[in-house]
Amino acid sequence: MFVLRTASLTMLCLLSTQGALLAAEGQQVASPPNILIILADDLGYSDLGCTGGEIPTPNIDALAKGGARFTDFCTSARCCPTRASLMTGLYPSQAGIADFTSARPDPKRGPGYLGRLTDRCVTLAEALKPAGYACYYVGKWHMHPATGPILRGFDEFYGFTADHSHDQYDKDYYVRLPEGRKKEIDPPAETFYATDVFNDYALAFMRQGQQSGKPWFLFLGHSSPHFPLQAPAGRADRFEAVYARGWDVLREERFERMKKIGLVDGARWALTPRSLVPVDRDDIANGYSGKPNPAWNELDEARRHDLARRMAVFAAMVSGIDQGVGRIIDQLKATGQFDNTLILFLSDNGACYEWGPFGFDGESRRGATTLHEGGALRRLGGPGTHCSYGSGWANLCNTPFRLYKHFTHEGGIAVPLIVHWPAGLDAPDRWIREPAHAMDVMPTLLEAAGARYPSTRAGLDMPPPEGRSLLPAIRGEAQAARTLGFDHQGAHALRQGDWKLVWGKRMPHEIKWELYNLAEDRCELNDLAGREPGRVAAMAAEWEKWARRVYVTYDNPKDVAAKQEAVDDSPQVRNRPIRVTSRVKAEHPDGVVLAQGGREHGYALHFIKGVPAFDVRVNGAVTRVKGSQAVSGEVTLRATLTSDAIMLFVNDACVGEAKSPGLIPVQPKDALSIGRDALTAAGDYEAPNPFNGEVLSHAVETGGHK
């Protein structure tokens, strides 16, 4: 049963339909709770002790024991879209960050792809502040500096507002806001470690809130355990022997613990086989592109030592988060605020596979993985290092599910959620099995705080939250079945009650809609699409309807499947001269005519507000040749790349020439796209940058011209 206790802890309060707390006649109104959100970054479904993991997390486990644990809580498949949804109560695309943050939004893709929070949304701080809350933010923001925390309702901030991650030891990168604030906590460079300093600032801001006399809201957004995997060597040492046992043994042990603690509730759960490594260049995928992660015992001893150390550093990062939770709990108990502080602990997406079973090294995240041996092994995770742990360990972290972050299968979107509030939640230590979503956090907090969702902001009407409060589910009340949509960079899903429709990507097999009954098959092992074609068609249509409503733009899944089949037919351009010819028709041409490749290597023929351009990308850097004036109507474009020059022609007249950056040194992994850049951007623009006219013909010739 769920109860709200008054300041005397004896009187019951009722929740009005608007979410305000109303005392029964003659009773005292309960004081609104303090609110603390602790968000881990790339933490897997089973990494915590209270969800079956071997990493010791006693303080987080204590919150779980005294609160409620959700078994079916989901997010977006990526960090910044989840943050947008969590912060606003909307789907990520409604909040302006459908895929990723961006300094150069693509208006042709619509309001869902601003790459920052839209003006037409309300943040948690903007909703709680009118109810009297002091609002604080610590850690990773990742919703674009132009819509940073101080601009969107928070009173104080320490952390970083740009990028998805950064070196944990680089003290000068982390900032104190508002501008002009002095860093109250500023350890010397030799002892600075961001996770620890985030914990320190969380305590400092919490004390500010306690001294303000107001209820307070603190958002602690850790960047741990996101790559770069970094932790002081002494902290990682204690875990290395554990992970030397390998991911196969540890997956089985995690699954058995999940059964024992009651998270796994019967035959509908099964430990999945080792997940596939997504299709990618072989050097990036460590030679396992499209293949299952290797068995641990198949790896040579040096590789096993390297991998065990990587995972040991990851575990040390998780442990660092937990130690901060312990310090926060101690402070709340010492000040008498523990019982009436509503604490939510969760992750932003499933564990991160980037990019193969051996992980990566270096800030580019691309290219061959370093094998660390000897003294270099213990330096892994130290200042200046930049590595990940790879798909094999990510598969362990997501036990028992398939796949990872970036995907809308359960391994990408299912995360732990713990809700703890002694003064407001009765009957602790329970599993809540109702489906829930990151966008449900906003309505939950507003209901608990007695706050109203603003109908306007800065003179603009606000859309109502898409989420629903989690408090009725925690009370044990039956919840109506709901439909939830998902989309992230070509991965789609629709959840209707127990049924889930999923569209994958980067797989070695034909990509098509998959259908699962999660009531019987939570781990998505039995694809029922072939037996239920009517349901697949109906749910696919419903997904497209949802996508249009929430501003998702996408390639038709059938077209994507056709392109996937044609990947091997893309021109072989590695170390070859290239000649591209295309006849197009448009009154005011704009966008990509054709492109091959992506963020590392490739080329693109495109228009910029009518002006033709040819971009060549080598090792991430773009060289552009561009015409001097806009064209319109039907024209023929031709562009050439040789080892000496890049040239661009319109109707056989040369309109631009530049020195060549050299031939493209590797075969691009992104296939040839016509009329848009379907995956990552081969040129200096935001993909997909669709062409607004007709591509009447195209040809790519290689190796036959000088």
Side-chain angles (χ1 to χ4, degrees), residues 555-610:
D555 288 327
N556 185 292
K558 293 181 180 178
D559 294 340
V560 174
K563 290 177 183 177
Q564 178 77 11
E565 292 174 359
V567 166
D568 292 339
D569 295 330
S570 292
Q572 297 298 306
V573 299
R574 177 177 179 267
N575 288 329
R576 298 182 184 184
I578 303 169
R579 178 165 57 197
V580 179
T581 307
S582 184
R583 188 164 57 93
V584 302
K585 183 178 181 181
E587 289 305 311
H588 303 286
D590 195 53
V592 173
V593 174
L594 60 81
Q596 183 182 358
R599 62 170 66 95
E600 294 89 30
H601 304 282
Y603 61 90
L605 187 62
H606 61 110
F607 285 94
I608 306 168
K609 295 181 179 179

Side-chain angles (χ1 to χ4, degrees), residues 62-93:
L63 292 178
K65 187 75 174 174
R69 281 172 278 182
F70 281 73
T71 67
D72 203 352
F73 185 81
C74 57
T75 64
S76 177
R78 195 79 167 272
C79 43
C80 51
T82 291
R83 280 167 169 74
S85 191
L86 177 65
M87 187 59 65
T88 65
L90 302 171
Y91 282 109
S93 50

